[in-house]
Amino acid sequence: MAMICRSFSLFLLISLFVSYGSAEIRFTEIRSDARPIIPFDQFGFTHSGRLVLNVSQIDLSNKNPDLDLAKVGFFLSTLDAWMHVLQQLADGEVTCALESDLVKLVTDFKASKGKSSFDVVFQVNNADQYTLVFANCLSDVKVSMSVRSAMYNLEGKDSHKDYLSAGKTILPRVYFLLSLVYFSLAGIWIYVLYKKRLTVFRIHFFMLGVVVLKAFNLIFEAEDKSYIKRTGSAHGWDVLFYIFSFLKGIMLFTLIVLIGTGWSFLKPFLQDKEKKVLMIVIPLQVVANIAQVVIDETSPFGEDRITWKQVFLLVDVICCCAVLFPIVWSIKNLREAARTDGKAAVNLMKLTLFRQYYIVVICYIYFTRVVVYALETITSYKYFWTSVLAGELATLAFYVFTGYRFKPEAHNPYFAIDDEEEEAAAEQLKLEDEFEL
């Protein structure tokens, strides 16, 4: 617990120095940049989409008044259109992306008539997922500017602004309903602990804490997304979401490790190697959560985003692999004990339970890390929420399975074994040994 507190303090301290973004309203500083293409942000528009662009502090490294400023500007493009534009550039059909009829030209610097700032409101009538891109087709010209971009859709009869991308606008309701489910589960779990209070272990209270943290994490995420939907900015709700996300992540991985070791309900202490796993997992979860904050709060095309994404994936994979070791150790120890202590049925039931948990943990990790990512990749931007819901339902199923299989029992099933079950278990272990040989 002390390690968790120190890790939380470190995460909170670092989080204070992270420059939080503004969701679908973004501020970007460009300084002496010679890149011909600079992608800014991505957004799913409906048929009533709007882009508000405010560009200020414009400065070009070349002050020549004869520069063709029509070759410097902003445009919107879908992914498919951009692939064709690249082909046009390769074939020499166009010399600048701004000249292509496949992109939606928002504005160019020629329209600003040499001013150091300008404002543009661009209407998007074709529903699709677009990327806001800045193009500089002037060689050896570096650009400096400050860009504020706001993208939203007009919804309802009153045409109110919805700053969440199409496909994400339903997420506040999804998160809120799921938070109610977890609060209900917490209430049910409290009732179970009260009814079976004579057989409750410390691990059961730890499980309650994980469920409560998950519920608060979801309700703060719902409020975070809801505020962004209405205003385009989180206004601090994202900080609460990240804090509870951090606590939930550490507690969940710690719980998996503790259950895998059999702590509390099988033994009152942790072995040194099991403590080392926790010493590895908890700090790595701090790094993973910091990486997640940076990923969420930067533009999809930010320079550091790819690096932090790689860090997050690497750390997450290490954590997922690390939590499996205690379960494997418990399975190995129970198999050895089943052959030596004469309680084959008791240990076989424990062994079966840990085998099931091992398989479920692997399935949970695989689904939430691989399948959900695949869903995000293959589904249309309009159905982005389905991949989020799939991941959350898989997490809910994992929580329910864990609670059901490791709930406090009035009669400990590990020791309520008769002679026939003992003989059957011994025979099964013998057959398993013969099969392995």
Side-chain angles (χ1 to χ4, degrees), residues 23 31 48 80 114 154 269 274-275 393:
R31 292 293 175 259
S48 56
D80 290 340
L154 299 178
F269 58 87
E274 295 163 349
K275 292 179 181 178
L393 289 178

Side-chain angles (χ1 to χ4, degrees), residues 45-51 76 104 122-127 130:
F45 288 102
T46 63
H47 293 289
S48 56
R50 297 290 187 276
L51 163 64
L76 289 172
K104 293 181 179 295
F122 187 79
Q123 186 172 336
V124 181
N125 296 320
N126 299 323
Y130 290 90

Side-chain angles (χ1 to χ4, degrees), residues 295 298-312:
I295 292 169
T298 55
S299 164
F301 306 99
E303 294 181 8
D304 298 330
R305 183 184 176 91
I306 295 177
T307 301
W308 280 103
K309 187 73 172 179
Q310 292 171 340
V311 169
F312 173 76

Side-chain angles (χ1 to χ4, degrees), residues 15 19 34 57 62 99-100 149-150 169 208-209 244 253 274 291 333 337 361 363 370 373 385 430:
S15 297
S19 177
Q57 300 178 11
N62 190 336
E99 299 172 356
S100 175
S149 61
T169 188
L208 174 63
F244 276 88
F253 274 92
E274 295 163 349
N333 293 336
V361 169
C363 291
V370 178
Y373 177 76
W385 62 272
K430 183 178 178 181

Side-chain angles (χ1 to χ4, degrees), residues 77-144:
S77 175
T78 63
L79 180 59
D80 290 340
W82 181 242
M83 293 296 103
H84 287 91
V85 171
L86 290 177
Q87 188 62 46
Q88 286 181 330
L89 291 169
D91 295 341
E93 296 179 25
V94 296
T95 59
C96 180
L98 294 169
E99 299 172 356
S100 175
D101 58 354
L102 299 176
V103 303
K104 293 181 179 295
L105 178 64
V106 177
T107 186
D108 56 41
F109 279 20
K110 185 178 181 179
S112 68
K113 299 178 181 179
K115 296 180 181 179
S116 62
S117 64
F118 60 84
D119 302 322
V120 176
V121 178
F122 187 79
Q123 186 172 336
V124 181
N125 296 320
N126 299 323
D128 212 328
Q129 187 174 43
Y130 290 90
T131 301
L132 175 63
V133 184
F134 173 75
N136 174 15
C137 300
L138 298 177
S139 59
D140 300 325
V141 175
K142 296 181 179 180
V143 179
S144 297

